[in-house]
Amino acid sequence: MRTERKNRGEVMRFFATAAKGTEGALRDELREARFREVRADRGGVHFEGPIEEGMRACLELRIAVRVLALLAEFEAETGEALYEGVSRVDFSPYVDPQRTLAVRAACKDSRLTHTQFIAQKTKDAIVDQQRKQLGARSSVDLDDPDLGVFVHVVRDRASLYVDLSGESLHRRGYRKRIEEAPLKETLAAAILRLSGWDRQSPLVDPMCGSGTIPIEATLWARDVAPGLLRERHGFERWPNHDETQKRRITDMREAARARVKSEGPFVAGSDVSPQAIETAKQNAKAAGVRLHFSRADVRDVEPLEPPGFIVTNPPYGERLSGGEELYRGMAEAFRRLSGHTVVLLAGTPEISRAMRIRPSKEITVWNGPIECRLFSYSIR
Ligand SMILES: C[S@@+](CC[C@H](N)C(=O)[O-])C[C@H]1O[C@@H](n2cnc3c(N)ncnc32)[C@H](O)[C@@H]1O
C-alpha cells in the first residue's frame, strides 16, 4: 500500500474556518499574527507552515472556528475513487484503534451528492486500513471524537482534512452560563475587529447579555490567547502527539502567558436584566478578567470620557423585548453620543431605520443561520 504521510517539519496547508462574512477579519488576524501564505476564501482562510503553525493557530486565533490540516486532494467522481484516495493516506499518526473517530462531509457541483454517503465511504476506508495494519478499528463517536475528519468534494475533487482544534474554538471555556441569544465568542471577536476598535479607547456594550463582547474585548486588548483558557485541543488527542510536540505546545503556552498585559483599557457592559448582569460577572470571573458590569437601560447610556466605542447586539426577532419603541429610544440615546463610534450587529432592518443616520460602514455577517448587518456610525 502506498501511503502519504506528513513528516515533522514538512510544510502543511491549513484551512481556518470562520462564520460567513468574517473571513476578511480572520485573514487580517492571521496576517497580524505572522502566519504565512494567508489567503481568504469562502468560509475561511488558507495558510501554510509546519504542523506547529497549526497548533499555534488553535492557541492564538480569536475568530477561527476550526483549524483544519489538509492531508490529501484527489479526484473523487465515484465512491470507489473516494475510497481509494482516502486509503492512500496513512491515518496512523492521527488515530489508533483505541481512539474514536468522526467524519463529516460537504459537497458541491459534484457527481457525489450525498454527504452521508461520502462520510461513510471515508470512514470505511480509514477503519479498513486500521484493520489491515493493526487487526482492530476505531469506533465512531459523533459527539466527542478523538479525531475529526472533514472531507469536502467540490467539482468531483476531494479535499481531505483532519481537525486540529477538536471542539469548536468558540468554546473558550469561560462561558459557564448563558443568557438568551448569546453571540458565539468567535463572532464577538470578529465584530470587535471589524468595528475598527483600537484596543485602547473605552468600550461599552449597553445590551451585554452574557457579557461576550466586553469579555472578548478585554481578552483581546490584554493579549490573552484564547487557547490558554481551553483544557486541550484536538491534536493533543492524536497518537503522534509525542513528548517533542508536548514540549512545543507547552513552550507556546508559556510564551503566550508571558505576553499577557496586566492592564487593559476601560471596558464595560450593562443590561436591563439583573440576571444577565449576574451571568456576565460570573463569565468574566471564569475568564480571569475584571470588568465593569451594571444594570441599566440602554436608553440611559452616558457618553464615555474620552469618547470611545459602543459595540452591541440589540435584541430582535421572536425574543425582541421592546420592539420599535426600544429601537427609537436606543437610537436617540446613541445619536447623543457625539465623538463616539457606535457599532450595531442588527438582525432586522428596523434597527438601522431607527438610527436615521447614514452608517459609515455596513458589512453582512452571519450569526449562525441568521443574516445580519454590522453597521458602524461615527456620531458627530
Ligand atoms: C441579543 S441579546 C445580547 C447577547 C449578548 N451579546 C451575548 O453574547 O450574550 C440582547 C440583550 O439586550 C438586553 N436588553 C433588552 N432590552 C434592553 C434595554 N432596554 N436596555 C438594556 N438592555 C436590554 C436583553 O436583556 C439581552 O440580554
Side-chain angles (χ1 to χ4, degrees):
M1 182 181 70
R2 190 173 72 83
T3 58
E4 293 169 13
R5 190 174 182 135
K6 302 287 166 195
N7 297 315
R8 187 151 285 150
E10 183 184 339
V11 171
M12 297 183 79
R13 286 159 63 192
F14 299 99
F15 187 62
T17 69
K20 252 202 289 182
T22 68
E23 296 93 337
L26 176 57
R27 177 202 52 217
D28 294 349
E29 182 180 29
L30 277 152
R31 286 198 178 136
E32 195 180 288
R34 297 206 175 89
F35 286 90
R36 291 206 314 264
E37 305 298 329
V38 173
R39 181 170 57 84
D41 205 341
R42 264 177 70 129
V45 182
H46 302 273
F47 65 100
E48 291 183 13
I51 187 70
E52 285 79 5
E53 284 295 85
M55 292 158 56
R56 183 166 78 87
C58 290
L59 182 67
E60 292 184 4
L61 297 178
R62 294 171 201 282
I63 298 170
V65 176
R66 292 188 179 279
V67 177
L68 309 176
L70 183 70
L71 297 187
E73 287 177 307
F74 48 86
E75 296 303 318
E77 291 181 355
T78 62
E80 291 72 39
L82 173 67
Y83 183 96
E84 276 307 307
V86 177
S87 302
R88 282 198 296 274
V89 176
D90 178 11
F91 273 87
S92 63
Y94 311 107
V95 69
D96 58 25
Q98 288 73 49
R99 290 165 221 242
T100 57
L101 173 73
V103 181
R104 286 213 256 155
C107 59
K108 205 172 154 234
D109 306 332
S110 297
R111 258 161 269 204
L112 294 176
T113 49
H114 291 282
T115 52
Q116 224 175 333
F117 174 79
I118 296 169
Q120 182 81 27
K121 271 281 168 204
T122 304
K123 187 267 295 168
D124 287 348
I126 299 170
V127 299
D128 288 351
Q129 180 188 95
Q130 289 182 312
R131 265 208 219 91
K132 264 189 233 152
Q133 282 179 354
L134 307 154
R137 55 155 282 187
S138 292
S139 48
V140 169
D141 180 345
L142 296 177
D143 296 328
D144 182 30
D146 293 309
L147 176 69
V149 174
F150 284 80
V151 55
H152 293 179
V153 183
V154 179
R155 287 186 292 281
D156 294 328
R157 200 166 164 75
S159 302
L160 184 66
Y161 295 96
V162 281
D163 179 8
L164 275 79
S165 29
E167 204 180 19
S168 165
L169 293 173
H170 84 271
R171 294 186 195 276
R172 310 274 204 241
Y174 65 72
R175 229 161 48 177
K176 304 295 176 198
R177 277 173 39 177
I178 50 167
E179 291 299 311
E180 263 187 67
L183 279 184
K184 281 193 175 155
E185 295 85 334
T186 42
L187 184 57
I191 288 167
L192 284 160
R193 187 172 273 273
L194 291 168
S195 77
W197 184 47
D198 57 7
R199 291 169 251 182
Q200 288 167 6
S201 308
L203 182 143
V204 170
D205 177 355
M207 286 174 276
C208 72
S210 329
T212 323
I213 292 173
I215 294 170
E216 286 297 318
T218 302
L219 293 173
W220 188 29
R222 289 186 44 206
D223 209 358
V224 180
L228 284 177
L229 304 164
R230 276 160 65 100
E231 255 167 50
R232 64 178 177 164
H233 293 97
F235 62 81
E236 292 173 88
R237 296 165 71 169
W238 296 352
N240 74 351
H241 191 62
D242 56 13
E243 288 311 313
T244 315
Q245 267 203 13
K246 281 182 193 157
R247 262 200 309 279
R248 295 306 302 268
I249 187 71
T250 305
D251 290 349
M252 280 184 214
R253 283 199 170 100
E254 267 170 28
R257 257 184 224 108
R259 281 199 303 272
V260 173
K261 300 182 181 103
S262 54
E263 296 293 325
F266 175 85
V267 175
S270 54
D271 200 287
V272 78
S273 152
Q275 190 190 306
I277 293 307
E278 200 40 50
T279 297
K281 280 183 180 167
Q282 286 192 19
N283 290 340
K285 192 170 171 207
V289 291
R290 267 198 310 276
L291 280 170
H292 311 263
F293 286 113
S294 57
R295 203 195 145 256
D297 194 297
V298 62
R299 289 165 279 206
D300 299 326
V301 67
E302 296 279 337
L304 293 161
E305 193 45 58
F309 280 69
I310 307 292
V311 182
T312 197
N313 161 216
Y316 56 84
E318 283 159 25
R319 299 177 178 122
L320 176 73
S321 45
E324 260 182 48
E325 204 186 309
L326 168 67
Y327 294 154
R328 239 194 337 268
M330 175 188 92
E332 260 169 39
F334 289 158
R335 287 197 303 269
R336 284 197 294 268
L337 301 176
S338 63
H340 291 63
T341 302
V342 174
V343 179
L344 306 177
L345 180 69
T348 162
E350 287 172 68
I351 294 175
S352 57
R353 271 204 294 272
M355 282 300 286
R356 297 205 329 253
I357 48 175
R358 198 181 275 280
S360 51
K361 212 161 80 178
E362 181 181 337
I363 304 169
T364 301
V365 292
W366 289 75
N367 182 5
I370 306 164
E371 185 179 347
C372 298
R373 297 273 185 283
L374 187 71
F375 293 106
S376 259
Y377 300 92
S378 309
I379 311 289
R380 289 167 203 274

